[in-house]
Amino acid sequence: MQALVDTIRGRIIRGQFAPGQRLKEEWLAAEFGVSRIPMREALRALASEGFVRSERYGGTFVATLDAEAAHDLLDVRAVLEPLAAAQAAMRCTPEHLETFRRLLDEGDRAFRERRPEDTRTVKGQLYEHLAVASGNSTLIALMRVVRFKIEWATSIELIEQIPEETRNLRAKLVREMVDAMADRDPARAATAVAAIIDATYASQGWRRVVDVRFEAASKSP
């Protein structure tokens, strides 16, 4: 059943199933050569991840990831990724570091060669590997779903084209994160990741939700 979930999720991320499109169990089951029971279970799993939504008596539809949801996603990353980087700095192995550097090189090459699909995929793999390197099973499970949401948000252009200078800054900071991990410096690794996320906030004109809430609280009588 997991293979079915992964395949349907992949089609949603790539836009082959469009936001708002109805997904009928019977034709999906026929297309994938399975019965309706595993298909129903797969759709339920995707609903729990937020990729589809079910309406009582109305059917199942591809979820819509709007700008507000993309902002919420970034707020989640702002919490999870610095923690993952700090723990990875304390727990990662030489093999983890080798994988990080390979992914960085692959991402740079894909960007230079103007292969946006590959660039997006490598970026997702890098942040999923960050969770793996943390050695924290809870973070691994949470960041796996976040990774797919990031790819989805990017594929449907909810996050605007990142300026080249911002992209270059982020690439530099990712390498700084990996260097900090190699030096076993959790504070520096977490700071580098936080700066990457701050650059994304700035590029969109967004603010961290905690900053907004603290500001509102300070103004209250």
Side-chain angles (χ1 to χ4, degrees), residues 74-84 139 197 201 208 210:
L74 191 59
D75 285 331
V76 171
R77 290 180 59 198
V79 174
L80 297 181
E81 290 177 11
L83 172 59
L139 273 175
I197 295 171
Y201 276 111
R208 292 174 183 258
V210 290

CSV table of all heavy atoms in Angstrom, one decimal, residues 74-84 139 197 201 208 210:
chain,number,residue,atom,x,y,z
A,74,LEU,N,6.4,27.1,6.1
A,74,LEU,CA,7.7,27.7,6.4
A,74,LEU,C,7.8,27.9,7.9
A,74,LEU,O,8.9,27.7,8.5
A,74,LEU,CB,7.8,29.0,5.7
A,74,LEU,CG,9.2,29.7,5.7
A,74,LEU,CD1,10.2,28.7,5.1
A,74,LEU,CD2,9.2,31.0,5.0
A,75,ASP,N,6.7,28.2,8.6
A,75,ASP,CA,6.8,28.3,10.1
A,75,ASP,C,7.1,27.0,10.7
A,75,ASP,O,7.8,26.9,11.7
A,75,ASP,CB,5.4,28.8,10.6
A,75,ASP,CG,5.2,30.3,10.4
A,75,ASP,OD1,6.2,31.0,10.3
A,75,ASP,OD2,4.0,30.7,10.3
A,76,VAL,N,6.6,25.9,10.1
A,76,VAL,CA,6.9,24.5,10.7
A,76,VAL,C,8.4,24.2,10.4
A,76,VAL,O,9.1,23.7,11.3
A,76,VAL,CB,6.0,23.5,10.0
A,76,VAL,CG1,6.5,22.1,10.3
A,76,VAL,CG2,4.6,23.7,10.4
A,77,ARG,N,8.9,24.6,9.3
A,77,ARG,CA,10.3,24.3,9.0
A,77,ARG,C,11.2,25.1,9.9
A,77,ARG,O,12.2,24.7,10.3
A,77,ARG,CB,10.6,24.8,7.5
A,77,ARG,CG,10.0,23.9,6.4
A,77,ARG,CD,10.4,24.4,5.1
A,77,ARG,NE,11.9,24.5,4.9
A,77,ARG,CZ,12.5,25.2,4.0
A,77,ARG,NH1,11.8,25.9,3.1
A,77,ARG,NH2,13.8,25.2,3.9
A,78,ALA,N,10.8,26.3,10.3
A,78,ALA,CA,11.5,27.2,11.2
A,78,ALA,C,11.7,26.6,12.5
A,78,ALA,O,12.7,26.9,13.2
A,78,ALA,CB,10.9,28.6,11.3
A,79,VAL,N,10.8,25.7,12.9
A,79,VAL,CA,10.9,25.0,14.2
A,79,VAL,C,11.7,23.7,14.0
A,79,VAL,O,12.7,23.4,14.8
A,79,VAL,CB,9.5,24.7,14.8
A,79,VAL,CG1,9.7,23.8,16.0
A,79,VAL,CG2,8.8,26.0,15.1
A,80,LEU,N,11.4,22.9,13.0
A,80,LEU,CA,12.0,21.6,12.9
A,80,LEU,C,13.5,21.6,12.4
A,80,LEU,O,14.3,20.8,13.0
A,80,LEU,CB,11.2,20.7,11.9
A,80,LEU,CG,9.7,20.4,12.3
A,80,LEU,CD1,9.1,19.6,11.3
A,80,LEU,CD2,9.6,19.8,13.7
A,81,GLU,N,13.8,22.4,11.4
A,81,GLU,CA,15.1,22.2,10.8
A,81,GLU,C,16.3,22.7,11.6
A,81,GLU,O,17.3,22.0,11.6
A,81,GLU,CB,15.0,22.9,9.4
A,81,GLU,CG,14.2,22.2,8.4
A,81,GLU,CD,14.0,22.8,7.1
A,81,GLU,OE1,14.8,23.8,6.8
A,81,GLU,OE2,13.2,22.4,6.3
A,82,PRO,N,16.2,23.8,12.4
A,82,PRO,CA,17.3,24.1,13.3
A,82,PRO,C,17.6,23.0,14.3
A,82,PRO,O,18.7,22.7,14.6
A,82,PRO,CB,16.9,25.4,13.9
A,82,PRO,CG,16.0,26.1,12.9
A,82,PRO,CD,15.2,24.9,12.3
A,83,LEU,N,16.5,22.4,14.8
A,83,LEU,CA,16.7,21.3,15.8
A,83,LEU,C,17.3,20.2,15.1
A,83,LEU,O,18.3,19.5,15.7
A,83,LEU,CB,15.3,20.9,16.3
A,83,LEU,CG,15.3,19.7,17.2
A,83,LEU,CD1,16.2,19.8,18.4
A,83,LEU,CD2,13.8,19.3,17.6
A,84,ALA,N,16.9,19.8,13.9
A,84,ALA,CA,17.5,18.7,13.2
A,84,ALA,C,19.0,19.0,12.9
A,84,ALA,O,19.8,18.1,13.1
A,84,ALA,CB,16.8,18.4,11.9
A,139,LEU,N,11.7,13.3,14.3
A,139,LEU,CA,12.0,14.3,13.3
A,139,LEU,C,12.0,13.7,11.9
A,139,LEU,O,11.6,14.3,11.0
A,139,LEU,CB,13.4,15.0,13.6
A,139,LEU,CG,13.4,16.2,14.5
A,139,LEU,CD1,14.8,16.6,14.8
A,139,LEU,CD2,12.6,17.3,13.9
A,197,ILE,N,16.2,29.9,6.5
A,197,ILE,CA,14.8,30.1,6.5
A,197,ILE,C,14.4,31.6,6.6
A,197,ILE,O,13.5,32.0,5.9
A,197,ILE,CB,14.2,29.3,7.7
A,197,ILE,CG1,14.4,27.8,7.5
A,197,ILE,CG2,12.7,29.6,8.0
A,197,ILE,CD1,14.1,27.0,8.7
A,201,TYR,N,11.8,33.7,4.2
A,201,TYR,CA,10.8,34.7,4.7
A,201,TYR,C,11.0,36.1,4.0
A,201,TYR,O,10.0,36.6,3.5
A,201,TYR,CB,11.0,34.9,6.2
A,201,TYR,CG,10.3,33.9,7.1
A,201,TYR,CD1,11.1,33.0,7.9
A,201,TYR,CD2,8.9,33.8,7.2
A,201,TYR,CE1,10.5,32.1,8.7
A,201,TYR,CE2,8.3,32.9,8.1
A,201,TYR,CZ,9.1,32.0,8.8
A,201,TYR,OH,8.5,31.1,9.6
A,208,ARG,N,7.8,35.5,10.6
A,208,ARG,CA,7.6,34.3,11.4
A,208,ARG,C,6.4,34.5,12.3
A,208,ARG,O,6.2,35.6,12.8
A,208,ARG,CB,8.8,34.1,12.4
A,208,ARG,CG,10.1,33.6,11.7
A,208,ARG,CD,11.2,33.5,12.7
A,208,ARG,NE,12.4,33.2,12.1
A,208,ARG,CZ,13.0,32.0,12.1
A,208,ARG,NH1,12.4,31.0,12.7
A,208,ARG,NH2,14.1,31.7,11.5
A,210,VAL,N,5.6,33.5,15.2
A,210,VAL,CA,5.9,33.8,16.6
A,210,VAL,C,6.3,35.3,16.7
A,210,VAL,O,5.9,35.9,17.8
A,210,VAL,CB,7.1,32.9,17.1
A,210,VAL,CG1,6.6,31.5,17.3
A,210,VAL,CG2,8.3,33.0,16.2
